[in-house]
Amino acid sequence: MLHPSIGGVTPGDRRRVLATAAGCVFLNFLAFAGLTPLYPEVAHDLGMGVDNLALFFTVSALVTAALQIPVGVFADRFGRRPALVLGLLFMAAGQALRWQARTPLIFGAGQLAIGACSPLIVAAGYAAVADAYARAGRAEAMGIVSSAISLGQITGFLTAGVAGQFVGWRGYSLGVALLPFLLLGPALTMPEPSRVAQPASLGRSMLRAVRFLIEPQAAGLAIVAALALGAGFSAGYVLPFVARQFGYGGSATSLLLVPYVVGSIVGSPLVGRWADRTGVPRLLAGCLLVGGLALAAFGLLPFGLPIEIPSYLLIGGGTGAALSLASTAIVAQAGRRGAGSGAALGGLRVGQQMGFAFGPAVAGFAFAHGGRPPAFLLLALFLLAAAAIALPSTSSLQPAPRPAPI
């Protein structure tokens, strides 16, 4: 049942929704991930180690996880536009706090603001696209949003690696703090796609969302998302510390991260288009297996560009496409049960944030105390376990209709 106060969207409206959501998600991950090649400098300036710095990402991820379902219910009830606008404002605040960080406490406050930003932008952005492309082409459209995530990461990696040499990580954060204001206009005027009508009270909406998310298949997809994001993000988090052992500086390290993001940019929409024709289950499990094998290879083989480049292409492509397919699958399951896509995606993001919360901390600990092989073999096990869970969690899904042009 469609929301009674909202009409359908035209093809032009769908393209505007996709462009606005992708733009907001792109900027979210540029702001969030841009510091990655500068993490060793951040840790040094704040007097922290690789394992201690990771705890700040754990706190941020826990805040994000706690807000996912409430934000999803909010977006299902009041629309995607308000959530996107609030997310942009939190993004600016988080980056401004990073700019002012002279102590771990202020940096942590910035992480809290960033933790509040992510569910507002990512869950609402994905939900808007899922609703706009409900009839056909959904997996490919979701893949494009996933590519925007990766494009934001690679842009952040490269600009931070270059700009960090001149303005430092604090100056980079100040520049990024100004960017969200460029997207406020498009977010405020974005068309609102049709969405599932919600119960009269917020309490009942929350209860419906929770009931859906504890069903075995939905919970299984959340676990898959946790393991996939935990492995993928942690591989990017640990890589700069591996590179420093071999004499790479900040700008060179940012280039080492490029294959990971290129793999995700290319893989997500291509696999999404494939899934629109053949279905999600086997593709999802296959992407996870490919990423797991690449992680194991990088952990066991000698470090060097001939190993790093193909390994990170496959890690990025496998985990990025898997997260996009998991999003497509949980929206399809929610539609069958009358749950809102925002709440369903919020629940999936709870799983993702659990991976983000604990993946870097676990991988950082393993790397600090055992080196590269145990850290990357542990991340490979994450993806192999996710592949084992993926098939039963998507077994009820059938191939989607042939997609309409995006």
Side-chain angles (χ1 to χ4, degrees):
M1 178 181 179
L2 298 179
H3 194 286
S5 64
I6 302 171
V9 291
T10 66
D13 288 337
R14 284 197 294 273
R15 289 190 288 270
R16 284 182 61 196
V17 169
L18 181 58
T20 303
C24 290
V25 169
F26 164 86
L27 188 55
N28 178 74
F29 281 87
L30 180 151
F32 170 75
L35 283 185
T36 301
L38 304 178
Y39 282 155
E41 283 82 2
V42 175
H44 175 269
D45 291 349
L46 297 177
M48 307 182 74
V50 56
D51 46 354
N52 292 330
L53 181 64
L55 295 177
F56 282 110
F57 298 100
T58 299
V59 172
S60 175
L62 291 175
V63 171
T64 301
L67 292 176
Q68 288 292 349
I69 296 177
V71 164
V73 171
F74 172 88
D76 285 336
R77 177 172 293 275
F78 299 109
R80 316 311 185 192
R81 284 196 301 257
L84 289 175
V85 170
L86 284 173
L88 291 170
L89 295 176
F90 272 110
M91 184 192 305
Q95 295 300 315
L97 286 166
R98 277 182 168 182
W99 165 51
Q100 288 294 307
R102 295 296 186 276
T103 67
L105 183 62
I106 298 176
F107 187 85
Q111 290 300 111
L112 291 177
I114 291 169
C117 156
S118 185
L120 288 161
I121 287 183
V122 180
Y126 267 104
V129 171
D131 292 342
Y133 289 85
R135 293 188 177 181
R138 176 182 279 166
E140 184 180 359
M142 300 281 266
I144 290 173
V145 179
S146 293
S147 291
I149 291 176
S150 300
L151 188 60
Q153 289 176 321
I154 195 172
T155 303
F157 294 159
L158 294 176
T159 55
V162 174
Q165 299 178 76
F166 304 100
V167 300
W169 61 272
R170 294 186 182 92
Y172 171 81
S173 298
L174 173 61
V176 174
L178 303 175
L179 296 179
F181 297 101
L182 299 177
L183 286 176
L184 282 178
L188 285 167
T189 58
M190 183 187 77
E192 280 281 3
S194 301
R195 57 187 188 270
V196 176
Q198 297 300 300
S201 69
L202 286 173
R204 290 183 62 192
S205 296
M206 288 286 294
L207 182 61
R208 173 188 284 186
V210 171
R211 283 177 174 170
F212 167 71
L213 293 167
I214 62 176
E215 292 181 5
Q217 289 193 325
L221 283 170
I223 295 171
V224 168
L227 294 168
L229 185 66
F233 181 80
S234 299
Y237 173 74
V238 175
L239 181 60
F241 297 94
V242 175
R244 290 301 167 92
Q245 292 182 337
F246 291 88
Y248 286 80
S251 58
T253 299
S254 68
L255 294 175
L256 290 179
L257 291 162
V258 169
Y260 173 84
V261 185
V262 169
S264 184
I265 290 173
V266 174
S268 296
L270 287 180
V271 173
R273 181 184 289 269
W274 191 0
D276 279 326
R277 290 165 169 78
T278 64
V280 167
R282 292 182 180 177
L283 281 177
L284 176 55
C287 289
L288 293 165
L289 288 172
V290 166
L293 292 174
L295 282 164
F298 183 76
L300 294 174
L301 297 175
F303 180 81
L305 292 181
I307 298 300
E308 192 274 341
I309 291 174
S311 294
Y312 271 77
L313 276 170
L314 294 175
I315 294 166
T319 58
L323 289 169
S324 176
L325 293 176
S327 298
T328 303
I330 204 165
V331 168
Q333 291 176 354
R336 295 180 177 187
R337 292 164 174 78
S341 58
L345 287 163
L348 189 77
R349 291 280 297 171
V350 171
Q352 288 179 294
Q353 291 307 305
M354 289 299 99
F356 175 64
F358 298 108
V362 172
F365 180 86
F367 178 74
H369 296 278
R372 178 164 56 101
F376 281 85
L377 288 176
L378 179 62
L379 297 178
L381 288 176
F382 283 7
L383 293 189
L384 295 179
I389 299 169
L391 284 173
S393 299
T394 55
S395 59
S396 63
L397 299 179
Q398 299 297 324
R402 185 177 180 84
I406 291 177

